[in-house]
Amino acid sequence: MEDRIIDLLVEICEDELVRENLDMDLFESGMMDSLAFAELIFGLEDKYGIVISPSEIKRENMNTPRKILAEVRLRS
């Protein structure tokens, strides 16, 4: 499943660099903004059934690919 989550991130961020650096801050790098973050949340629910309410998660807890994968693991 991790590869599919990374595929989703690559699609949303429109950059393969996401695969190469799992510790890159997606917001600081400009690869993700609040709209892309919402797209990620809804994509995780739509494609994988992983429900993450935007009100229950802080952006800094899901700002890198590695943290996103960890959060998905906790909820699946």
Side-chain angles (χ1 to χ4, degrees):
M1 176 183 269
E2 290 186 5
D3 288 337
R4 295 185 309 196
I5 303 299
I6 295 295
D7 289 343
L8 178 62
L9 280 170
V10 167
E11 180 182 324
I12 291 169
C13 295
E14 300 178 344
D15 197 322
E16 289 286 331
L17 188 59
V18 172
R19 290 184 202 284
E20 298 168 20
N21 185 355
L22 296 180
D23 295 312
M24 172 179 38
D25 189 310
L26 299 172
F27 295 97
E28 286 183 12
S29 69
M31 293 183 146
M32 187 174 283
D33 57 16
S34 57
L35 183 60
F37 186 69
E39 187 178 343
L40 171 65
I41 297 298
F42 293 121
L44 290 170
E45 183 172 357
D46 183 52
K47 293 182 179 188
Y48 308 110
I50 299 164
V51 178
I52 301 174
S53 172
S55 62
E56 69 183 37
I57 193 80
K58 293 183 179 181
R59 191 169 86 171
E60 59 267 11
N61 294 337
M62 288 185 66
N63 61 338
T64 70
R66 189 176 313 280
K67 289 180 183 178
I68 292 167
L69 292 171
E71 190 65 35
V72 167
R73 272 188 234 109
L74 285 174
R75 294 173 184 269
S76 55

